[in-house]
Amino acid sequence: MITEKILTEAEHMFTDVFKMEPAFISKAPGRINIIGEHTDYNFGLSMPCAINRWILVSFSPRNDDRIQIISHDFNEQLDITIDESYTPESDWKKYVYGCLQIISTLKKPAHGFNAFIQGNVPVGSGVSSSAALEVAFMNGLNELYNLQLDKLTIIKLCQRVEHEYLQVKSGLLDQYASQFAKANNFLVLDFQQMSHRYVSAALENHCWILCNSMVTRTLAGTKYTERVEETQQALKELKMFFPEIRHFRDIQEAHIPALKNVILQKRIKHYVLENKRVEDAILALQKNDLTRFGALLSASHISLRDLYEVSCTEIDFLMEQAVLLPYCLGSRIMGGGFGGCTINLVEKDKAEEFSTHIKSVYKKQFNRNAEIKEYHSVDGASIILV
Ligand code: GLA
């Protein structure tokens, strides 16, 4: 549950700046991905949940055509009129302006608005603050202009923002989790069917801990696109060899040796086996077999490290140190990769010990401070009328 405090704060900040009450607040959470990494853009399976960190955007309509958006965290504002041509220079402005432009192509906004953005989703930590921003903002525009778009259409529009305004060919994992999550559940996402279902995530004695390597994911954009292209190339070649392959999900492990290029073999092998691990993880959860569940997380890491090659030295170290601890059942790199975080399944009453230990070994090895945080699952995005 979102705390009343953060909502009241949002309302007060808006009123302070704009000298009027907001009409509504649109909120969307960040996400963690339990398993199913680098599968979404190729119609695979993933299992994320939303976490107890949110972006909140407070809105009120205006009578004129001015659009004034303030970002509390960046201490910046975007101030334009509806028809003004504008080139956003920073990322938060690209997200917001991208949402506006895409909505405008569906229906020209009838009036301007004031908006105030704030939140507590850590930026650049791999928990999708950007998806939370897009989803909160896009849902907000849908409400403001009474567009009656359904939840799935909205996140597809958010994905267009990533593709068209950030030039990252990302999948829908982050936005899907932020929009559709349910507290105490994992979402099982099938990007081939574009469908989701929920599996219970009520882990009595365990918790989710993220270790942020504090390695910034500078290469993430280009390397991510490289992976997208490599896997598409692998599919293209496999289709030529095997008539039964029409989509990514038709690819079986036995098909892979037909590819001549070893790199393409490795990339697609990760994809095929990662989808399988998601299915196995669901079974393990249903049987309450957390040892198996944890082992699947760690296997996912090894695959992302050796086959998909999206890890880095610092992250590998964090994972290896974590799984040495008897009370950590599994650990893996999470999100786009090339830095960022590991996600760890740890016994609840050892969380403190885990954090102290990992911080200390990491500092000793790299002379860097890891940031360690525990998260729990929450409901997806919603609109709160003020
Ligand atoms: C990033 C992207 C997601 C997904 C993950 C990897 O978070 O935004 O769409 O591809 O990387 O699983």
Side-chain angles (χ1 to χ4, degrees), residues 95-332:
Y95 288 116
V96 164
Y97 185 66
C99 289
L100 263 172
Q101 287 300 99
I102 285 174
I103 285 291
S104 308
T105 59
L106 301 179
K107 188 174 170 206
K108 187 172 178 234
H111 54 79
F113 62 89
N114 295 328
F116 190 89
I117 305 170
Q118 73 197 96
N120 58 11
V121 187
V123 175
S125 302
V127 290
S128 287
S129 57
S130 50
L133 172 59
E134 287 158 11
V135 172
F137 203 76
M138 202 68 101
N139 282 341
L141 294 177
N142 181 48
E143 174 76 17
L144 182 77
Y145 294 123
N146 193 21
L147 300 173
Q148 317 262 339
L149 301 170
D150 63 74
K151 283 166 87 172
L152 190 60
T153 303
I154 291 178
I155 59 168
K156 287 182 181 165
L157 296 178
C158 293
Q159 187 186 31
R160 276 186 56 195
V161 176
E162 297 275 348
H163 289 197
E164 294 168 26
Y165 290 82
L166 279 298
Q167 269 70 50
V168 180
K169 297 284 174 227
S170 53
L172 260 180
L173 166 70
D174 310 337
Q175 295 82 357
Y176 216 126
S178 184
Q179 183 83 306
F180 286 93
K182 221 157 78 173
N184 298 318
N185 283 271
F186 298 131
L187 265 170
V188 178
L189 302 178
D190 183 328
F191 295 98
Q192 169 99 324
Q193 306 295 335
M194 261 309 160
S195 67
H196 65 273
R197 64 191 176 95
Y198 299 95
V199 289
S200 169
L203 306 177
E204 269 167 39
N205 304 318
H206 292 82
C207 61
W208 294 105
I209 300 183
L210 257 58
C211 300
N212 187 345
S213 63
M214 306 305 276
V215 175
T216 38
R217 299 166 297 140
T218 39
L219 275 175
T222 41
K223 290 276 179 194
Y224 187 96
T225 308
E226 199 176 285
R227 296 296 175 275
V228 174
E229 288 166 1
E230 285 165 342
T231 42
Q232 280 171 357
Q233 180 62 26
L235 173 67
K236 200 170 143 201
E237 291 183 21
L238 286 172
K239 270 179 171 174
M240 293 191 300
F241 295 131
F242 304 102
E244 72 270 27
I245 297 180
R246 285 174 301 130
H247 307 289
F248 272 103
R249 291 281 281 284
D250 297 328
I251 304 172
Q252 306 287 323
E253 217 184 333
H255 293 128
I256 299 174
L259 291 167
K260 280 184 209 72
N261 183 324
V262 180
I263 301 276
L264 297 191
Q265 283 190 11
K266 293 207 294 192
R267 305 296 188 250
I268 211 68
K269 188 166 178 190
H270 164 74
Y271 171 79
V272 172
L273 297 183
E274 185 74 355
N275 283 335
K276 173 88 177 53
R277 276 188 287 271
V278 175
E279 284 167 347
D280 291 348
I282 300 166
L283 292 178
L285 267 183
Q286 284 161 350
K287 288 188 199 148
N288 209 12
D289 184 352
L290 288 189
T291 308
R292 168 89 183 123
F293 191 65
L296 289 162
L297 297 189
S298 302
S300 167
H301 179 83
I302 306 295
S303 178
L304 288 156
R305 182 190 71 190
D306 297 343
L307 300 178
Y308 222 65
E309 297 182 280
V310 290
S311 190
C312 63
T313 319
E314 291 84 349
I315 288 280
D316 291 340
F317 179 84
L318 285 172
M319 181 273 180
E320 282 151 22
Q321 293 298 315
V323 294
L324 284 178
L325 302 169
Y327 48 80
C328 173
L329 297 189
S331 172
R332 64 175 201 85

Side-chain angles (χ1 to χ4, degrees), residues 34-93:
I34 307 301
I35 195 160
E37 210 71 85
H38 282 281
T39 49
D40 62 343
Y41 47 85
N42 288 332
F43 309 95
L45 300 170
S46 292
M47 195 202 278
C49 66
I51 53 166
N52 49 325
R53 294 289 186 281
W54 296 267
I55 297 284
L56 291 94
V57 190
S58 314
F59 282 86
S60 74
R62 296 176 62 104
N63 296 324
D64 55 16
D65 68 349
R66 186 171 170 198
I67 294 173
Q68 200 183 358
I69 306 164
I70 296 178
S71 162
H72 177 254
D73 292 347
F74 292 101
N75 196 20
E76 284 176 359
Q77 70 165 324
L78 191 161
D79 196 345
I80 51 174
T81 53
I82 289 175
D83 290 320
E84 192 175 326
S85 87
Y86 167 77
T87 312
E89 67 278 9
S90 57
D91 278 0
W92 81 266
K93 290 183 181 173

